[in-house]
Structure formats: C-alpha cells, structure tokens
Amino acid sequence: MHLPLIRIATAAAAALAMSVPAAVAAPANQATIDIDDQNMTANGFAAGSGWTRVTINADRPVDFGIVALKPGKDTGGFANAIGKLSPDRTESWGDWVAGGSTRPGAPYVVALDMDPAWYSVIVYERKKQYQVGGFSVFDRPGGFEEPASTSTIGLRDFRFDTPRTLDAGGTLKVVNQGRQIHELVLARVKGKPAAAVKLAKQGKFGKIRFAGQPSQAVGLVSGGTTNVVTPELAKGRYLLVCAYGDARSRNKPHATLGMAQAITVR
C-alpha cells in the first residue's frame, strides 16, 4: 500500500487505502497540473481568481496536496522546509486547499474557489514529501460561478454535518467548517453500518468489513476551504470517516473523537 508521509500522523490513517474521485461535472475555467518525475507543469491558472476546475494528472500513482501560501511567505523557503513539516505546522506557511490521489488514466478532478496567492503542489512518495512546483493565481476575475452540487458535507471539529442519504453519482460540496485539518473518506461496508461506526470510533479500522476500496473524496484540507468533487460511489451503505490525527488531537484519529458516521447511497 502506498502511503503519503504527511497523512501518517496516526496508524489509523495508514489503515485506509484510497481510490480516486471521478471528474467534476462543472464548466470551465479549466486548469491542469501535470506531475512528471519530480517536477510539474501548470496551465490555465493565469485567467485569475474564482472557481476553477482543476485536473491533476501524473505519470505514476501519486498522493498530493496543494497549499496556498500566505502573503509575504518565501516560496523558496517553503520548498526547502516542507520535507520536515507536519500538516499542522505547514499551516504557519499557508492553507491546505486540496488533496487526493491520482494515477495514470485516472486523474483527480476538483472544483476550487481560488483566491489570489502562490500555490505549492506537494507530492508524498517513497517515504518522503517534497514540492514539485507551484503556480500563481492573480488578483483579477477569471473563474466561473460555483458549480452545482447535489449534497453538502460539512467537516467540523469533530463531527460530520451531512444528510443521511447521498445520490449515487452525485456531486459533493465538501466544506471544512472547523478550525482543524480534516479529510473525507467514504467506505462502503458490509453488515450493519452501526457496527462499522463503532469500530471506527474505537480506532479499530482493521476490523471493519469493507465492501470495496475506500474512497478519499477529499484529502487533508484546512478550515475554511471548499472542494467540489464527484466520487465514484455505488449504491449501498457507507461509513464516513476522518482517520487523520495530529498533535492538536493528541495524535488520536479524528474518528475516535466523533468523526465517524453511517450514510446510505441510493
């Protein structure tokens, strides 16, 4: 199992394998990030700020995160520091605005409301994390209106604010309404969903009976961020979980603090 260092603040986060969300059905402004070896190219961001449909491609399986640096932060200094920064310490430099996994033939696609800033793209692989490049979003209108979504999921400290049912193939608006970093993982489960919720809240992820590969709909994101994604969800019973944990949660997975919930996809 390929595991990004930046997400392994607890053993629980490592227990969940992740798949890749499908494309977001949203109009352009279109932008792409192509990751090749230890570098990247970015196209389409020059139009300016606002809602942007971003497609992340890679020539190999890649786990990634995107950080919007705070004004005045040195981009070169951040690139040198990121290899030793945990996600919570990274927030002294900027906000995690998106994250996920991509592989050849299966890009990660997300719609983001992008403010003017320098954005750094971080890759985690081979037991290390590093910046592969970045891009600027300029202080002028360039995006489109917020894309339509079928459901909204709020990530709070420490619970989910979500409807009990989701539409298969629906588009999710995922808003981190808390002050801490969170992620959104959806896992189809066998048997009674309440049993899976109980195990997740106990941190016993390895004992959960999964009915398929869990999907990391949204990777680590800071408070105040919004991601619009369309996960590949078949009909069934699902577990929503945030398995991330760091010093702020005393290294406990957020699921053990309440971020575990059962839903139905139909």
Side-chain angles (χ1 to χ4, degrees):
M1 184 188 303
H2 178 66
L3 298 169
L5 289 183
I6 208 161
R7 297 195 60 255
I8 309 177
T10 67
L16 292 171
M18 304 302 171
S19 62
V20 181
V24 176
N29 188 28
Q30 302 275 352
T32 60
I33 297 171
D34 295 302
I35 300 171
D36 183 6
D37 195 18
Q38 295 188 5
N39 299 290
M40 57 152 281
T41 57
N43 294 288
F45 295 99
S49 60
W51 281 96
T52 304
R53 182 177 183 267
V54 183
T55 300
I56 299 94
N57 302 293
D59 60 352
R60 63 194 183 283
V62 163
D63 298 299
F64 71 92
I66 301 177
V67 177
L69 292 191
K70 295 178 180 179
K73 289 295 183 180
D74 177 61
T75 58
F78 178 72
N80 291 330
I82 186 61
K84 298 180 180 179
L85 293 176
S86 62
D88 56 319
R89 289 177 59 202
T90 301
E91 287 189 311
S92 66
W93 291 81
D95 293 327
W96 295 96
V97 297
S101 301
T102 183
R103 63 182 185 273
Y108 185 98
V109 184
V110 59
L112 300 172
D113 189 5
M114 308 191 78
D115 293 325
W118 169 264
Y119 290 79
S120 175
V121 181
I122 311 302
V123 162
Y124 340 111
E125 62 180 349
R126 296 190 292 272
K127 298 184 179 180
K128 63 181 180 180
Q129 60 197 36
Y130 53 91
Q131 177 181 279
V132 292
F135 57 90
S136 291
V137 171
F138 299 102
D139 189 11
R140 60 173 181 259
F144 56 86
E145 294 183 357
E146 180 180 329
S149 53
T150 54
S151 298
T152 297
I153 296 179
L155 312 178
R156 294 183 178 267
D157 308 330
F158 295 93
R159 64 181 176 86
F160 291 106
D161 183 4
T162 180
R164 292 292 178 175
T165 60
L166 300 177
D167 295 332
T171 297
L172 302 181
K173 179 180 179 180
V174 182
V175 185
N176 188 342
Q177 300 167 333
R179 292 186 294 177
Q180 297 200 28
I181 294 171
H182 295 299
E183 66 176 351
L184 174 62
V185 177
L186 301 102
R188 192 179 179 192
V189 296
K190 300 177 181 178
K192 296 181 179 180
V197 171
K198 182 178 179 179
L199 289 170
K201 289 185 175 181
Q202 294 173 343
K204 299 178 180 178
F205 297 101
K207 293 186 177 182
I208 297 174
R209 298 174 61 205
F210 295 113
Q213 186 181 20
S215 172
Q216 187 186 34
V218 174
L220 298 185
V221 288
S222 298
T225 57
T226 298
N227 286 233
V228 179
V229 295
T230 305
E232 295 178 350
L233 300 179
K235 295 180 180 180
R237 297 172 178 176
Y238 280 77
L239 171 70
L240 268 63
V241 66
C242 176
Y244 175 70
D246 59 13
R248 295 177 182 176
S249 62
R250 298 182 179 179
N251 292 321
K252 293 182 179 180
H254 292 176
T256 66
L257 302 178
M259 291 193 77
Q261 182 175 321
I263 62 165
T264 299
V265 175
R266 63 185 182 185

